[in-house]
């Protein structure tokens, strides 16, 4: 029994360890209202909820590569020119991010959209014309990236040629050292897959189809049976391949069971791919000596050149891989000035060259991001002013540089190595709401133009802390209250337009003095302002505290007067009530008085008395009323 319990605990521990070592995986079926599974591998795709805006639409897929999903997320221009998926709680690490494109399945949507894609604020791909007519890798974009701060930010930017439509998203964790390419590798480097080929294989496959390791990122390998007519031939083996599925890249061993071998007609193997000029590309070449004609070291040696430069001289696969049927991977990053990248394998010993697979990545330097504090300040401004959705303030305000936020100007701050906001131009946009105190967190602003809107409320005194401010235009809004004294402390301020508002009170003396120093200030069309030439003369200037004191005293006086009036009114009502009661009882009292007088007269007339003791009613006093 003890042994049984021990074995159960052991296997439970092994399972826990195994689960903890599994890579993080998230797959989203865009536009889906429920989780779905796709054939043939029953892959789980999560529903699309709480990640972004846009509109749910039915989907048409364009390639056999794309997962067979029925919905997509569509972003019309009315939703803004920039829209993003923000996927939170992504563990720290290195990830393969794959975004699949689709077409809206409606007759009115007959044109393929062309738009830009950025990941973590860096532009990584622009969809080319005709992408939807290719049954290949044009159906998706794939990158290797290190997300920041536990959030993967994937953005889509309209370019005026149709609206973005996204079918699905995959975020697959890979080894932190996967595709390590030298000293420049790291968090500032993004790899975008340009091409990934499985040479000599008849069928294109994902890693899962090769029974590959999960840590490989489920790569897609496009099959290629020849580099050119009569220049090569495919070969294959069923032998087990050694040294393939190892860290950090975990290539599937079956990838190396096929290859292309050159022929006597063309001893060299040559592959050419179209690329963007003036960029760096990381080239990964895969070999395994599976040719039964080569069994030992020195029987096949090849030189490998890229765009005419020999990058790998004297490659002996058997020697370098440690034997036949063993995997060998060579990597080189090269700068390409032209529009093509050509790989040439030339045999120097033996008569033929051989290759199993090719991977080519565009190397992209990740852009520096905007200061997080200033991004939060812009988000606060967005909420306070109620910016229309057409502004599309999503993603990073300054990047990609081709798609900054509307109305936002940026500059690079070398001291923080971040981008900062130096200008806001949101004039004549029909904005409502108020100007928040958080605008002071935009420390580097030089210009603010919010004129011609419907913004209400006071001007925040915190604006006076933006010491770099040179221009402040709040004209033709509904700002009220007094002009903050702090504005007078803005020594760099050259232009101040506050005309056409509801401002009142005395203009701060520091601002009035600045008019003599080539500053351009406009305070007109504010009926309550005073204190400088051209405006009404101010009465005694009261501080805010004095105004509050006067207001409070006035309130107390009103309460006291109201109390006195109420007391007087109540007393008067009591007096009137008493008079009414007395008036009602007066006739009865008069009759009683007359009757007593008669009785007393009779008594005095008939009674026995002496003359000296006789008294009149007047002498005896008035009769008592009962």
């Amino acid at each position: 029994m003890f042994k049984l319990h021990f074995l159960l605990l052991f296997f439970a521990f092994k399972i826990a360890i195994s689960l903890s070592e599994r890579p993080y995986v998230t797959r989203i079926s865009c536009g889906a209202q429920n989780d779905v599974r796709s054939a043939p591998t029953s892959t789980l795709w999560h529903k699309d909820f709480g990640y972004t805006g846009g509109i749910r639409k039915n989907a048409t897929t364009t390639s056999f590569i794309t997962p067979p999903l029925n919905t997509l997320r569509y972003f019309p221009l009315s939703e803004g020119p920039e829209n993003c998926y923000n996927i939170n709680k992504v563990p720290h690490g290195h990830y393969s991010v794959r975004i699949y494109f689709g077409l809206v399945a409606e007759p009115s949507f007959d044109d393929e959209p062309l738009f830009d894609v950025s990941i973590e604020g860096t532009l990584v791909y622009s969809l080319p014309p005709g992408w939807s007519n290719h049954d290949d890798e044009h159906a998706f974009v794939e990158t290797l990236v290190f997300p920041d701060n536990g959030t993967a930010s994937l953005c889509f930017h309209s370019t005026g040629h149709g609206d973005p439509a996204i079918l699905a998203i995959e975020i697959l964790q890979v080894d932190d050292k996967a595709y390590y390419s030298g000293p420049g590798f790291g968090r500032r480097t993004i790899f975008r897959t340009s091409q990934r080929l499985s040479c000599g294989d008849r069928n294109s496959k994902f890693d899962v189809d090769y029974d590959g390791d999960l840590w490989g990122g489920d790569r897609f390998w496009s099959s290629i049976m020849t580099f050119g007519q009569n220049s090569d031939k495919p070969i294959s083996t069923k032998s087990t391949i050694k040294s393939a599925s190892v860290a950090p890249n975990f290539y599937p061993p079956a990838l190396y069971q096929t290859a292309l071998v050159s022929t006597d007609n063309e001893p060299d193997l040559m592959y050419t791919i179209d690329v963007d000029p003036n960029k760096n590309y990381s080239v990964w070449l895969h070999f395994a000596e599976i040719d039964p004609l080569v069994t030992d070291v020195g029987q096949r040696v090849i030189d490998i050149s890229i765009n005419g430069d020999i990058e790998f001289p004297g490659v002996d696969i058997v020697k370098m891989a440690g034997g036949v049927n063993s995997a060998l991977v060579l990597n080189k990053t090269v700068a390409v000035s032209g529009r093509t990248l050509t790989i040439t394998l030339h045999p120097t010993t033996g008569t033929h060259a051989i290759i199993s697979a090719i991977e080519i990545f565009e190397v992209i330097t990740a852009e520096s991001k905007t200061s997080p504090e200033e991004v939060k300040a812009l988000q606060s401004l967005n909420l306070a002013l109620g910016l229309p959705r057409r502004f599309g303030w999503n993603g990073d305000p300054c990047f990609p540089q081709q798609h900054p936020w509307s109305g936002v100007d940026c500059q690079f701050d070398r001291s923080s190595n971040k981008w900062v906001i130096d200008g806001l131009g949101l004039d004549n946009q029909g904005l409502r709401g108020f100007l928040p105190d958080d605008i002071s967190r935009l420390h580097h602003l030089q210009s603010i133009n919010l004129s011609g809107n419907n913004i209400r409320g006071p001007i925040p005194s915190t604006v006076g802390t933006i010491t770099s401010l040179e221009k402040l235009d709040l004209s033709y809004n509904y700002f009220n209250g007094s002009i903050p004294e702090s504005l007078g402390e803005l020594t760099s301020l050259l232009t101040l337009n506050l005309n056409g508002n509801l401002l009142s009170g005395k203009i701060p003396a520091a601002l009035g003095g600045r008019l003599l120093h080539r500053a351009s200030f406009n305070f007109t069309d504010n009926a309550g302002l005073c204190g400088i030439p051209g405006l009404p003369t101010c009465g005694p200037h009261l501080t805010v505290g004095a105004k509050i004191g006067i207001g409070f005293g006035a309130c107390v006086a009103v309460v006291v007067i109201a109390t006195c009036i109420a007391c007087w009114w109540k007393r008067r009502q009591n007096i009137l009530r008493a008079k009414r009661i007395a008036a009602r009882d007066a006739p009865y009292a008069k009759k009683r008085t007359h009757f007593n007088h008669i009785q007393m007269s009779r008594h005095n007339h008939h009674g026995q008395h002496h003359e000296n003791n006789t008294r009149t009613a007047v002498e005896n006093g008035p009769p008592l009323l009962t």
Side-chain angles (χ1 to χ4, degrees), residues 190-448:
I190 298 175
F191 275 16
R192 181 187 67 82
T193 305
S194 296
Q195 189 65 269
R196 185 178 277 126
L197 300 175
S198 175
C199 301
D201 199 330
R202 293 185 177 276
N203 300 307
S204 299
K205 297 176 182 178
F206 286 91
D207 275 7
V208 65
D209 301 313
Y210 284 121
D211 293 325
D213 194 291
L214 293 176
W215 281 98
D218 200 20
R219 293 156 288 214
F220 176 77
W221 300 89
S222 182
S223 66
I224 185 168
M225 294 296 292
T226 180
F227 290 157
Q229 189 173 7
N230 298 323
S231 66
D232 49 35
K233 63 179 181 180
I235 63 172
S236 63
T237 184
K238 293 185 178 180
S239 301
T240 301
I241 303 297
K242 299 181 288 292
S243 305
S245 186
V246 295
N249 291 347
F250 297 96
Y251 293 111
L255 176 70
Y256 299 89
Q257 290 181 325
T258 63
L260 285 177
V261 179
S262 61
T263 62
D264 294 337
N265 293 332
E266 182 57 62
D268 290 353
L269 282 176
M270 182 179 297
Y271 175 73
T272 299
I273 180 177
D274 293 334
V275 296
D276 293 330
N278 303 315
K279 294 187 176 181
N280 293 332
Y281 288 85
S282 183
V283 179
W284 298 71
L285 305 175
H286 300 259
F287 304 92
E289 190 54 83
I290 61 172
D291 188 343
L293 299 178
V294 177
T295 59
D296 205 352
V297 172
Q299 293 182 358
R300 190 197 314 268
V301 179
I302 56 180
D303 287 344
I304 303 173
S305 61
I306 300 176
N307 280 356
D309 297 325
I310 297 178
E311 303 292 352
F312 303 101
V315 175
D316 187 332
I317 300 171
V318 176
K319 179 179 180 180
M320 297 173 68
V324 297
N325 299 324
S326 294
L328 171 67
V329 182
L330 302 177
N331 162 244
K332 184 69 176 182
T333 299
V334 296
V336 179
S337 58
R339 294 187 174 275
T340 59
L341 187 153
T342 300
I343 302 168
T344 304
L345 294 87
H346 171 70
T348 59
T349 301
T351 56
H352 304 134
I354 186 173
I355 191 167
S356 299
I358 299 173
E359 294 177 285
I360 301 173
F361 301 95
E362 180 188 344
V363 182
I364 304 171
T365 300
E367 301 283 4
S368 297
K369 291 192 172 185
T370 305
S371 163
E373 182 181 9
E374 301 208 359
V375 173
K376 291 178 181 178
L378 286 177
Q379 292 169 342
S380 176
L381 186 69
N382 183 8
L383 294 174
L385 295 179
L387 264 65
R389 298 178 72 175
R390 57 182 168 81
F391 272 81
W393 276 20
N394 297 299
D396 190 283
C398 301
F399 279 91
Q401 292 190 55
Q402 299 88 336
H403 302 284
W405 285 5
S406 299
V408 174
D409 296 326
C410 304
Q411 69 173 357
F412 187 72
D413 180 32
R414 296 188 180 279
S415 62
S416 64
N417 202 34
K418 299 282 186 183
W419 286 83
V420 296
I421 312 303
D422 69 345
L424 284 176
L426 300 173
D427 51 304
N428 300 302
Q429 297 296 331
L431 304 181
R432 301 178 182 272
F434 63 95
L435 195 59
D437 290 337
D438 278 354
I439 194 171
S440 63
R441 297 167 66 182
L442 299 172
H443 307 294
H444 302 84
L445 277 176
Q446 298 178 22
S447 172
I448 300 175

Side-chain angles (χ1 to χ4, degrees), residues 540-554:
H541 180 62
L542 298 175
T543 65
V544 174
K547 292 178 181 179
I548 294 174
I550 291 173
F552 179 74

